[in-house]
Amino acid sequence: MNWQRVYDVLAHLFPALSVSRWWGIDDPYERSWGCVLVQNTTWHNASLALNRLREHGLTSIVYMSEVEVDRLAQVIRPAGFYSRKAETLKRLAAWWVRHGGVEGVESLKTGRIRRELLGMKGIGEETADTLLLYVLDRKTFIGDQYSRRFVNRVTGEKKRTYDAIRREVLAAELKTHDLQLLHAYIVEFGKQFCRKRNPDCPACPFAEYCHYSFRG
């Protein structure tokens, strides 16, 4: 796929979208908690849990690392899987503290950060890459369900893996900010046009060469 063309088309489709507006969060630690809270749920539910963290004063890495896991689990209940996510948040907070926060992590190479995050129980590829891309501004990409659905439908190929899509996009050599926007664009495109059920193919800007559209 020509990822620069994909980026240009989607940028034209969502001209007002910015990374800050899309997240609705600027604090890097709150974004990192959001990366965990959104696992297996909607961003709406994750936001409810994040708001509760704010209400209880638990968004800093110090308080997150010190709070008891049982109390934390009750605070983040709206996100679902709250016991498991509380443990993951605690591990992530300890990781931040161990490396001296965002400032300390900035000196580490991207590959090392990704390996350490993937070695943390409760953090998979999607969470690790989301944190790398949107919290630490590192070059990576997120081959999540929205990206895979988009690629599989347009190309007609059903076996593109998470890592295959990630590597393919990175090979396009887009700037980090553009990678952030590209992922945000694809997610919004997946919600509004390339939906899992009842996709809006007639309004899709990729319809003329999308294999899924041809099939329909």
Side-chain angles (χ1 to χ4, degrees):
M1 293 185 68
N2 184 331
W3 286 101
Q4 182 63 61
R5 173 172 167 72
V6 170
Y7 176 89
D8 292 341
V9 170
L10 293 177
H12 181 75
L13 193 63
F14 302 106
L17 189 65
S18 67
V19 173
S20 181
R21 180 178 178 182
W22 189 64
W23 269 86
I25 304 169
D26 290 324
D27 181 77
Y29 301 115
E30 289 190 7
R31 282 194 185 183
S32 74
W33 312 144
C35 292
V36 173
L37 294 170
V38 77
Q39 293 173 350
N40 299 306
T41 191
T42 63
W43 182 247
H44 172 75
N45 291 338
S47 295
L48 292 176
L50 192 54
N51 285 334
R52 284 173 59 84
L53 286 175
R54 295 188 186 108
E55 291 168 3
H56 287 79
L58 297 174
T59 56
S60 76
I61 57 174
V62 173
Y63 288 124
M64 181 66 77
S65 62
E66 292 178 348
V67 65
E68 293 184 359
V69 68
D70 290 341
R71 181 191 172 204
L72 179 59
Q74 294 307 309
V75 172
I76 64 170
R77 282 182 72 96
F81 302 97
Y82 46 88
S83 295
R84 187 182 71 190
K85 290 181 181 180
E87 293 173 352
T88 302
L89 288 171
K90 293 283 292 178
R91 285 188 284 268
L92 181 57
W95 180 81
W96 279 124
V97 171
R98 184 166 66 251
H99 285 300
V102 171
E103 294 77 12
V105 173
E106 284 179 352
S107 65
L108 304 180
K109 292 184 177 180
T110 301
R112 175 182 170 180
I113 299 171
R114 193 170 192 268
R115 287 193 298 273
E116 289 190 8
L117 290 172
L118 290 175
M120 199 179 302
K121 185 177 179 181
I123 292 186
E125 288 185 308
E126 185 173 332
T127 302
D129 286 323
T130 303
L131 197 152
L132 276 166
L133 184 61
Y134 288 111
V135 177
L136 296 171
D137 294 321
R138 300 299 180 100
K139 275 196 172 185
T140 190
F141 195 70
I142 305 154
D144 58 11
Q145 61 173 327
Y146 293 102
S147 299
R148 293 196 298 275
R149 185 193 308 153
F150 173 72
V151 172
N152 290 341
R153 284 180 173 175
V154 172
T155 64
E157 300 175 8
K158 299 295 184 182
K159 297 182 180 180
R160 294 287 186 95
T161 64
Y162 181 103
D163 195 55
I165 291 174
R166 174 178 171 270
R167 291 178 182 276
E168 181 181 322
V169 175
L170 289 178
E173 298 185 351
L174 295 170
K175 295 179 180 179
T176 303
H177 181 66
D178 292 339
L179 289 168
Q180 293 172 336
L181 281 174
L182 176 61
H183 175 255
Y185 289 152
I186 290 175
V187 171
E188 292 307 307
F189 180 74
K191 291 178 179 178
Q192 297 182 39
F193 295 91
C194 198
R195 297 183 291 267
K196 184 176 182 179
R197 297 181 180 83
N198 301 315
D200 190 2
C201 294
C204 174
F206 302 100
E208 62 181 295
Y209 53 85
C210 175
H211 285 256
Y212 186 91
S213 180
F214 293 156
R215 189 189 69 181

